[in-house]
Amino acid sequence: MAQHEEKCVTVAFTGDIMMGTTYPSVQLPPHEGRQLFVDATPILSRADMAAGNLEGTLCDGGDTHKKLSKVCYAFRTPTSFAPRLKEAGFDYLGMANNHARDFGEQGIRSTMSCLDHLGIKHSGIKGIGPECAIVSQNGKTYGFCSFGHNEYTLRHQDIASVRRIITFLVDRCDYVIVGFHGGAEGAKAARLPEGREMFCGEDRGSLRSFAHFCIDAGADVVFGHGPHVARAMELYKEHLIAYSLGNFCTPYGISLSGISGYAPLLEVKLDSAGRFSGGRIHSFLQVRGQGPRLDSKHRAAQEVRRLTQLDFPQGHLQISDEGVLRRK
C-alpha cells in the first residue's frame, strides 16, 4: 500500500475566482483580500498542483464594452490583489471564460502580466496568450489547457483544436488536465443535461460529449465551471470529470444565496498512469465580503453527491457524507 501511495500525485481544483471589483462601483474585501483564502490555503498548498478559473480581469483602469444589466456584469479586480492567488497556492489559472475580456485586450494583457509576474501559469485566450501551459514539480510534468464558449477564447466547440492541444500535452507531460467554462447559469442549471446547452442566446457547449472527448484524447482529469453552481461528477474510463465546481471565491458581484454559495474544493489523487485513485470534496461556504469558509456541515459535497446520483445513477463514483471520493 505504501508503495502504491508513493506513486500518486494530488491535484486540487476550484471553480470561479473573482476577488472583488472596482466597476461600476468599488466592492472590495478589506486589507487587499488577505483573508480571502485563509481556510483554503492549507489544502491548496499541500497539493502537488492547484488550479482554478480566474473569472474576470486583474487591471487598474479602462472601461468596459459591455452594457451592464441584471444578467450582464463586468469584473475589474485591482492588480494589488493578484499576490493573494500565489499566496493561496495556485499554480495554474484558466482564463477561457466570458469575463476575461470585460476590459478589452488591455484587461487581458494586464491579467496575464500579473500572473506571469507571480509565476502562475495560464492559458485559454485565442491569439494573445498561450494555448496551454506546462508546469514541472518534483520530477513530474503537468499539462494544462482551458476552453470556453466565447469567440475570443479557445472554444470547446472547436474539436479539432481541442484534440491538437491535448495531443501536444500528452506527448510532453506525465499528467494532462483540461478545464472548461460552459453550461447554462444559475440555481436552475444545477442538473447536467444531455446535448447542447444554450444560455442568453449563446451555445454553451455539449459538455458530456466534450468531457468524454477530452478523456478519449488523453486527458487525465477534466474540471468545469461556468454555471455558478456545482454540478455532478463522473468517473469515465477510470478518469474523473467534475462538470462544474461552481463559485469558489466571489465575495461580491455574484449571487451567494442558497446553492450558489456552496464552494467545493476538489482534491484528486492520480496514480502513475493518471487514473483516479481517490480524492475528496472539501466543502466551503462563501460569506459575502469574506470569501470561502470551511463548512462543517459538508453542504457542497452533499449537493454534488445528490446531483451525481441523479445525473449518473449507474455511475462508478461513491461520495461520502464528508465528501470522500472512491470507486464503487
Side-chain angles (χ1 to χ4, degrees):
M1 176 64 80
Q3 186 178 2
H4 175 73
E5 288 296 326
E6 288 175 5
K7 295 180 181 179
C8 288
V9 298
T10 301
V11 186
F13 300 94
T14 75
D16 296 346
I17 300 165
M18 195 286 292
M19 297 177 285
T21 185
T22 59
Y23 192 93
S25 60
V26 176
Q27 297 182 79
L28 297 173
H31 311 300
E32 294 184 329
R34 284 179 171 81
Q35 296 300 308
L36 285 175
F37 298 104
V38 64
D39 284 5
T41 296
I43 302 168
L44 294 169
S45 296
R46 75 187 182 206
D48 294 290
M49 280 288 124
N53 173 59
L54 185 59
E55 186 88 340
T57 60
L58 296 167
C59 63
D60 296 318
D63 204 350
T64 185
H65 64 283
K66 289 184 169 182
K67 294 182 179 180
L68 304 190
S69 69
K70 291 182 179 180
V71 295
C72 185
Y73 305 89
F75 299 135
R76 187 177 65 189
T77 303
T79 58
S80 60
F81 278 63
R84 307 294 88 79
L85 300 167
K86 185 68 173 182
E87 293 161 6
F90 286 103
D91 300 287
Y92 172 86
L93 290 168
M95 290 181 61
N97 60 65
N98 55 311
H99 287 284
R101 199 174 179 271
D102 280 358
F103 290 84
E105 186 172 323
Q106 173 187 350
I108 289 173
R109 293 193 181 279
S110 175
T111 303
M112 290 180 175
S113 177
C114 286
L115 297 178
D116 289 341
H117 179 74
L118 293 166
I120 298 175
K121 297 289 187 177
H122 55 85
S123 72
I125 303 299
K126 182 170 61 180
I128 300 178
E131 286 192 327
C132 56
I134 297 176
V135 188
S136 297
Q137 178 76 6
N138 297 327
K140 301 293 183 181
T141 54
Y142 301 79
F144 292 92
C145 54
S146 295
F147 301 95
H149 53 78
N150 297 91
E151 49 85 20
Y152 58 83
T153 67
L154 296 169
R155 302 181 77 235
H156 40 70
Q157 296 93 334
D158 181 0
I159 290 299
S161 292
V162 173
R163 183 191 297 277
R164 175 177 56 80
I165 293 168
I166 292 176
T167 299
F168 176 88
L169 292 173
V170 168
D171 290 343
R172 292 162 176 81
C173 301
D174 298 301
Y175 303 96
V176 175
I177 296 159
V178 176
F180 70 85
H181 206 68
E185 298 183 14
K188 294 181 180 179
R191 294 293 303 277
L192 178 69
E194 299 280 357
R196 185 173 63 171
E197 290 187 68
M198 301 294 294
F199 185 75
C200 291
E202 292 180 320
D203 177 359
R204 295 291 183 94
S206 299
L207 301 179
R208 291 181 188 236
S209 297
F210 168 76
H212 290 180
F213 179 88
C214 292
I215 299 296
D216 291 339
D220 296 307
V221 182
V222 178
F223 78 108
H225 32 77
H228 297 297
V229 289
R231 281 183 164 183
M233 294 184 184
E234 179 188 17
L235 268 184
Y236 174 74
K237 297 183 178 179
E238 300 188 88
H239 295 275
L240 187 68
I241 300 169
Y243 282 96
S244 176
L245 294 177
N247 303 320
F248 185 67
C249 182
T250 54
Y252 296 108
I254 294 175
S255 173
L256 301 180
S257 64
I259 60 174
S260 298
Y262 294 1
L265 194 168
L266 173 63
E267 225 180 356
V268 182
K269 288 186 177 182
L270 304 176
D271 68 14
S272 59
R275 296 169 300 207
F276 173 79
S277 186
R280 183 169 183 175
I281 301 167
H282 298 271
S283 293
F284 288 75
L285 192 66
Q286 287 211 67
V287 179
R288 181 174 170 82
Q290 297 182 36
R293 295 294 179 260
L294 278 168
D295 175 23
S296 61
K297 295 183 179 179
H298 308 290
R299 280 169 280 195
Q302 290 166 21
E303 171 69 358
V304 173
R305 180 178 64 181
R306 182 184 74 84
L307 294 168
T308 299
Q309 291 170 345
L310 287 171
D311 292 337
F312 298 97
Q314 306 303 318
H316 304 288
L317 185 65
Q318 177 180 319
I319 306 174
S320 75
D321 286 345
E322 294 79 25
V324 176
L325 306 178
R326 296 188 179 92
R327 289 191 185 93
K328 283 185 180 178

